[in-house]
């Protein structure tokens, strides 16, 4: 009974100290934000998406200039040798050339739009990962705060019992070491939380805001088991089917189309062009001074066009190999993400059904047996460490599972 009174008094002092220590942190203006709000805010403010919009505008401006005849030649000539007379000569390509130029411009616009889709998917993935990192850091702080309070209470009680000669020096040192170790881990978790807040704030354009998530990561475990299982059950077996909506693959495919339209443009430019002129070709007293002239611009420098065609063909082949490389890399990443998702799904199911309930039972029963005098301090600390290790691994499994799902959905274009 004397021991229980001493322990209750120590726990009361510990709770008061914790409340006083947490007041400055609670007094900070916290800004709660949901994942949907974070995604919407990032999509509006991220500079990568603004860059993509400007690149689309650039390609659309180039399309408006796809009909681009050569500049006219304004000439002064002396047809009779007596005076100078002005004239103008214009070279115009055949309509097929301008049609091919327009097709190239349209392919460039589509490629810019596909690249914007890639940027959007990358920004969403970065935002979801940053939000998940903040959720994990917050959950760790909550977990370690509970551990810290418990071990501090044990340390205070151990000091009193050691002074009364009821515990050994080894028990006192072991309890103090465990309490200090948990305290250091709590400080590290608080630093990780601050870094995660900063990282998410940079994406949202609020780098100094004290952001906090609206969902506890630990409470999302049961829902994650259901949603993750439904996703795995509905995934196609073939990589080609799973990656059909991948924005990265769509951009690589469109790059091939752009390079192929470039080949068509080079071939169109090998055709002759028309030359039209309006010049003075008569004497001063002639009744009709200015006359039209017509001609043909012949592409006789064949080596130039042949080199351009070779370059365009090589560019198209390189784009095709790039598409194959992207498909291979995405398939590899997809298989890895799929394996990680299945692995963490099985682990999370174990912790939800067995691991976490067992850890709670270990904490409650070890404390009860210790109060009853049936186990020693060392056994109590070992039991608590085992339970807290299970709970910390549970949090890590939720984080890893969500990371695998985020990567899997990114590869699938979701």
């Amino acid at each position: 009974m004397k021991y229980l009174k001493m322990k209750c008094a120590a726990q009361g002092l510990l709770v008061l100290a914790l409340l006083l220590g947490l007041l400055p942190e609670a007094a900070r203006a916290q800004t709660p934000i949901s994942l949907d709000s974070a995604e919407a805010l990032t999509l509006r403010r991220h500079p990568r998406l603004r860059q993509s919009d400007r690149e689309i505008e650039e390609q659309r401006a180039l399309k408006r200039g796809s009909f681009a005849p050569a500049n006219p030649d304004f000439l002064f000539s002396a047809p009779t040798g007596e005076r100078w007379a002005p004239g103008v000569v214009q070279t115009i390509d055949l309509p097929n050339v301008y049609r091919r130029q327009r097709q190239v411009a349209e392919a460039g616009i589509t490629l810019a739009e596909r690249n914007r889709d890639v940027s959007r998917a990358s920004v969403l993935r970065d935002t979801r990962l940053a939000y998940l990192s903040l959720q994990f850091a917050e959950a760790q702080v909550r977990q370690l705060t509970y551990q810290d309070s418990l071990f501090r209470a044990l340390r205070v009680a151990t000091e009193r019992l050691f002074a009364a000669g009821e515990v050994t020096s080894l028990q006192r040192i072991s309890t103090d070491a465990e309490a200090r170790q948990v305290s250091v881990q709590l400080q590290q978790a608080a630093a990780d939380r601050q870094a995660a807040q900063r990282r998410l704030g940079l994406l949202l354009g609020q780098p100094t805001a004290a952001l906090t998530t609206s969902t506890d990561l630990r409470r999302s475990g049961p829902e994650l088991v259901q949603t993750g299982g439904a996703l795995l059950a509905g995934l196609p077996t073939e990589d080609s089917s799973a990656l059909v909506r991948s924005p990265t693959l769509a951009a690589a495919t469109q790059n091939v189309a752009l390079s192929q339209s470039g080949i068509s443009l080079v071939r169109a430019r090998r055709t002759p062009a028309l030359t039209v002129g309006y010049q003075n070709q008569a004497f001063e007293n002639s009744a009709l001074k200015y006359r039209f002239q017509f001609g043909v611009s012949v592409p006789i420098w064949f080596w130039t066009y042949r080199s351009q065609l070779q370059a365009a063909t090589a560019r198209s082949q390189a784009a095709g190999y790039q598409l194959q490389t992207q498909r291979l890399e995405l398939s590899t990443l997809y298989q890895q993400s799929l394996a990680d998702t299945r692995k963490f799904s099985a682990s999370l199911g174990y912790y939800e059904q067995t691991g976490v309930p067992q850890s709670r039972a270990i904490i409650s029963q070890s404390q009860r047996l210790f109060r009853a005098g049936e186990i020693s301090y060392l056994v109590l600390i070992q039991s608590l460490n085992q339970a807290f290790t299970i709970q910390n691994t549970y949090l890590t499994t939720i984080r890893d599972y969500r990371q695998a799902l985020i990567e899997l959905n990114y590869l699938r274009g979701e």
Side-chain angles (χ1 to χ4, degrees):
M1 180 64 66
K2 178 181 178 182
Y3 165 71
L4 291 178
K5 290 181 179 179
M6 293 172 60
K7 186 171 183 180
C8 292
Q11 289 178 340
L13 292 174
L14 174 62
V15 171
L16 179 61
L18 285 174
L19 290 176
L20 292 176
L22 291 177
L23 280 178
E25 181 67 22
R28 291 183 59 192
Q30 298 290 325
T31 305
I33 186 171
S34 64
L35 178 58
D36 293 338
S37 299
E39 291 178 355
L41 193 58
T42 307
L43 292 177
R44 287 199 306 266
R45 296 185 177 182
H46 203 284
R48 187 184 302 175
L49 296 178
R50 295 182 180 181
Q51 175 189 351
S52 299
D53 292 337
R54 301 293 87 78
E55 290 174 350
I56 293 176
E57 291 182 4
E58 174 190 5
Q59 294 301 321
R60 288 174 178 171
L62 292 175
K63 178 184 176 181
R64 291 192 294 269
S66 58
F67 178 73
N71 293 326
D73 297 328
F74 293 96
L75 308 173
F76 285 88
S77 60
T80 62
E82 297 179 355
R83 64 183 181 86
W84 291 96
V88 61
V89 177
Q90 174 68 59
T91 301
I92 302 177
D93 291 315
L94 295 179
N96 186 44
V97 176
Y98 302 113
R99 185 170 62 252
R100 296 299 183 186
Q101 289 181 169
R102 183 179 181 85
Q103 292 175 354
V104 170
E106 291 174 347
I109 293 175
T110 305
L111 179 60
E113 293 173 345
R114 296 292 178 269
N115 288 331
R116 181 180 59 182
D117 295 338
V118 174
S119 298
R120 186 180 185 277
S122 299
V123 168
L124 286 177
R125 179 187 59 177
D126 294 344
T127 303
R128 291 165 182 170
L129 290 176
Y131 193 88
L132 176 61
S133 297
L134 181 55
Q135 280 185 310
F136 179 71
E138 291 174 346
Q140 275 196 319
V141 169
R142 284 189 290 267
Q143 174 71 26
L144 290 171
T145 299
Y146 172 64
Q147 291 180 234
D148 184 60
S149 64
L150 184 57
F151 277 106
R152 282 189 181 186
L154 287 174
R155 183 172 63 181
V156 172
T158 304
E159 292 290 342
R160 292 179 180 244
L161 292 175
F162 177 75
E166 298 184 16
V167 297
T168 64
S169 175
L170 176 61
Q171 292 174 336
R172 172 178 171 269
I173 295 174
S174 298
T175 305
D176 182 72
E178 291 292 338
R180 293 183 183 276
Q181 181 178 359
V182 173
S183 179
V184 171
Q185 293 175 352
L186 178 58
Q187 295 175 3
Q188 294 175 345
D192 291 338
R193 180 182 60 183
Q194 186 176 4
Q197 288 176 336
R198 175 76 175 178
R199 185 161 54 250
L200 180 60
L202 288 173
L203 290 173
L204 302 182
Q206 303 174 2
T208 59
L211 299 173
T212 180
T213 61
S214 61
T215 306
D216 188 349
L217 184 64
R218 181 185 294 273
R219 295 179 180 177
S220 66
E223 179 185 358
L224 184 59
V225 172
Q226 298 178 357
T227 58
L231 175 63
L232 289 174
L235 289 178
T237 57
E238 297 294 334
D239 296 347
S240 57
S241 301
L243 300 175
V244 68
R245 298 177 59 184
S246 171
T248 304
L249 203 60
T253 303
Q254 181 58 31
N255 189 36
V256 173
L258 176 61
S259 61
Q260 290 176 349
S261 62
I263 295 177
S264 300
L265 177 59
V266 171
R267 289 174 175 171
R269 285 176 175 171
R270 293 191 303 177
T271 58
L274 301 179
T275 301
V276 181
Y278 188 62
Q279 290 181 298
N280 189 318
Q281 299 176 347
F283 292 96
E284 185 176 0
N285 57 356
S286 176
L288 185 61
K289 298 181 180 180
Y290 282 87
R291 299 178 178 85
F292 287 99
Q293 67 176 20
F294 300 94
V296 177
S297 175
V298 181
I300 62 174
W301 316 122
F302 61 91
W303 59 85
T304 301
Y305 297 98
R306 183 175 60 186
S307 300
Q308 293 176 354
L309 182 59
Q310 291 175 349
T313 303
R315 189 181 306 114
S316 178
Q317 293 174 349
Y321 289 126
Q322 182 185 11
L323 174 60
Q324 296 179 16
T325 302
Q326 288 283 4
R327 185 176 287 110
L328 178 61
E329 292 178 353
L330 290 175
S331 298
T332 303
L333 293 174
Y334 176 77
Q335 289 298 330
Q336 182 62 50
S337 298
L338 186 59
D340 291 340
T341 303
R342 289 172 176 168
K343 175 179 65 177
F344 295 128
S345 176
S347 299
L348 184 59
Y350 157 73
Y351 284 109
E352 283 288 339
Q353 297 175 6
T354 307
V356 174
Q358 286 181 343
S359 69
R360 293 170 181 167
I362 290 173
I363 293 175
S364 62
Q365 292 183 20
S366 62
Q367 290 180 332
R368 179 178 57 82
L369 293 175
F370 173 72
R371 294 191 188 100
E374 298 183 14
I375 60 174
S376 65
Y377 259 89
L378 294 180
V379 175
L380 173 64
I381 292 176
Q382 291 174 355
S383 300
L384 292 177
N385 283 336
Q386 180 186 14
F388 289 136
T389 299
I390 293 174
Q391 293 186 0
N392 289 330
T393 307
Y394 171 63
L395 287 177
T396 305
T397 302
I398 295 178
R399 181 200 60 183
D400 295 341
Y401 191 14
R402 285 199 173 276
Q403 284 181 345
L405 288 176
I406 289 172
E407 186 66 24
L408 193 64
N409 288 329
Y410 167 75
L411 294 172
R412 296 173 58 242
E414 298 291 339

